[in-house]
Amino acid sequence: HRGASGYLPEHTLPAVTLAHAMGADYIEQDVILSKDDVPVVVHDISIESISDVAKRFPERKRADGRFYAVDFTLAELKQLRVTERFNPATGKAIYPNRFPIWQSAFAIPTLEEELQLIQGLNKTTGRSTGVYPEIKAPAWHRRQGKDISRIVLGVLARYGYRTRSDAFYLQCFDFDEVKRIRRELGFQGRMIQLIGANSDAESATDYDRMRTRQGLEEVAAVADGIGPATNQVVTGKREGKLQITDLVKNAHALGLEVHPYTFRADALPAYAASLEEQFSIFFLEAQVDGVFTDQADRGVAFLRAKFPATYPAK
């Protein structure tokens, strides 16, 4: 999840390298666009919570007080110093026990730089780590005059990520865009429909409806799987018993894979005393197919211990 983001600042090339060394099967890239239409890897469309943009370019904030990557050229984005995620209002790290903020040197990478790095590491190590890009806020990008999906698909294709046999998944929260990518843009690779909460306003998609049988059937017509939030799979405990929804079972009945997000050792749900316990609940009881975790090393160790026949050491 965002590289080895539990140990190094998210989405930086060092975090990607560490995730690869830890044995992650896939490494995620959240993709947004620069002013000059270069796909860069940053989780949010604004960049004030992971960089020194407010200090370096104070006059470039919009009326809402935020600094948007789309207002900066790649050359300008490369001038920024990147750090562990923090609260811009307080200057405090979101996860205080992670990599110290403003220490060492990190930068915003382009999607091409990440793909080159992962493919290079695959060559030198003999591994086959895949990529898992997310197209962020396509409707918002379109309002800025940019077709992010078309641009990102072009970059992926140039690096050999085109079909379901290639080692990648493409994900997006916006169901209208998922349908467009498949039907209008002719995408042939594996695609995951992310499922958020309606209250988050992640897109115009009705995620409550999407989790119904009818909604999942519509997803299965264009996508290969779903990426729900963990609380949409396990809602907690009641009288000591885990409450597991029917979402995974219903998705599997339609041939959809299920890859929930996000598993963090430093942000555990109340029903799990450790990250390993949470992994056990999701893999062994809820029967998910994969997970996004900030601690890839612990995820890999869990799978190798519990499924040695199907998940051997590499």
Side-chain angles (χ1 to χ4, degrees):
H1 184 243
R2 309 182 199 175
S5 55
Y7 306 100
L8 286 164
E10 64 186 51
H11 286 319
T12 59
L13 294 183
V16 171
T17 302
L18 184 56
H20 193 285
M22 287 176 167
D25 295 297
Y26 291 85
I27 299 173
E28 182 195 34
Q29 300 79 32
D30 292 305
V31 186
I32 60 178
L33 292 181
S34 68
K35 185 176 183 178
D36 44 351
D37 291 340
V38 179
V40 294
V41 184
V42 181
H43 182 263
D44 303 316
I45 54 177
S46 65
I47 52 179
E48 66 276 356
S49 62
I50 52 90
S51 77
D52 62 349
V53 66
K55 179 179 179 180
R56 193 172 294 271
F57 297 103
E59 74 287 355
R60 303 284 286 279
K61 65 182 177 183
R62 291 195 183 183
D64 61 3
R66 300 173 70 185
F67 296 80
Y68 292 87
V70 77
D71 295 331
F72 297 83
T73 65
L74 178 62
E76 290 171 329
L77 292 174
K78 285 295 188 180
Q79 295 177 40
L80 300 177
R81 185 180 181 191
V82 170
T83 192
E84 181 67 30
R85 180 170 290 273
F86 64 95
N87 183 333
T90 65
K92 302 293 185 180
I94 300 299
Y95 298 100
N97 294 321
R98 294 191 178 185
F99 199 91
I101 62 174
W102 306 121
Q103 297 297 301
S104 195
F106 303 97
I108 292 175
T110 67
L111 176 60
E112 287 199 76
E113 287 170 343
E114 282 216 11
L115 299 180
Q116 290 172 1
L117 177 59
I118 292 167
Q119 291 187 353
L121 288 169
N122 283 346
K123 179 179 180 180
T124 56
T125 63
R127 298 188 66 246
S128 56
T129 298
V131 301
Y132 209 130
E134 177 187 342
I135 292 178
K136 302 291 291 190
W140 182 88
H141 276 91
R142 202 150 39 243
R143 291 195 295 272
Q144 314 307 309
K146 298 182 181 296
D147 187 347
I148 185 173
S149 296
R150 192 179 296 275
I151 293 170
V152 170
L153 290 182
V155 173
L156 291 172
R158 289 202 302 275
Y159 283 87
Y161 300 106
R162 301 182 184 90
T163 72
R164 285 183 171 87
S165 62
D166 300 319
F168 82 118
Y169 291 88
L170 183 68
Q171 58 180 337
C172 186
F173 275 101
D174 189 322
F175 189 41
D176 285 340
E177 192 71 5
V178 167
K179 290 183 285 188
R180 174 179 177 253
I181 289 168
R182 183 69 81 198
R183 294 168 177 166
E184 179 184 328
L185 301 183
F187 179 66
Q188 298 297 312
R190 290 176 293 178
M191 192 154 42
I192 300 295
Q193 171 65 56
L194 291 166
I195 304 179
N198 286 357
S199 59
D200 293 339
E202 181 72 41
S203 76
T205 303
D206 183 349
Y207 299 113
D208 293 340
R209 183 181 183 281
M210 180 171 282
R211 295 197 304 275
T212 67
R213 176 74 183 201
Q214 184 178 357
L216 289 172
E217 287 175 351
E218 293 173 2
V219 170
V222 290
D224 302 273
I226 58 172
T230 56
N231 62 9
Q232 295 168 345
V233 176
V234 179
T235 60
K237 280 186 177 180
R238 183 181 302 164
E239 298 179 353
K241 183 178 180 181
L242 281 169
Q243 301 299 300
I244 300 174
T245 71
D246 291 333
L247 183 60
V248 176
K249 180 180 69 175
N250 292 338
H252 282 168
L254 293 166
L256 293 167
E257 297 182 52
V258 182
H259 306 158
Y261 64 89
T262 303
F263 292 69
R264 295 182 169 109
D266 42 6
L268 292 169
Y271 57 79
S274 68
L275 186 61
E276 286 70 26
E277 182 180 1
Q278 191 183 15
F279 287 147
S280 182
I281 290 167
F282 275 76
F283 279 108
L284 302 180
E285 299 189 52
Q287 298 284 300
V288 302
D289 304 290
V291 301
F292 285 90
T293 178
D294 291 3
Q295 287 83 20
D297 54 336
R298 293 171 67 172
V300 169
F302 174 85
L303 291 174
R304 288 176 179 169
K306 295 296 183 181
F307 306 99
T310 57
Y311 201 90
K314 297 180 182 178

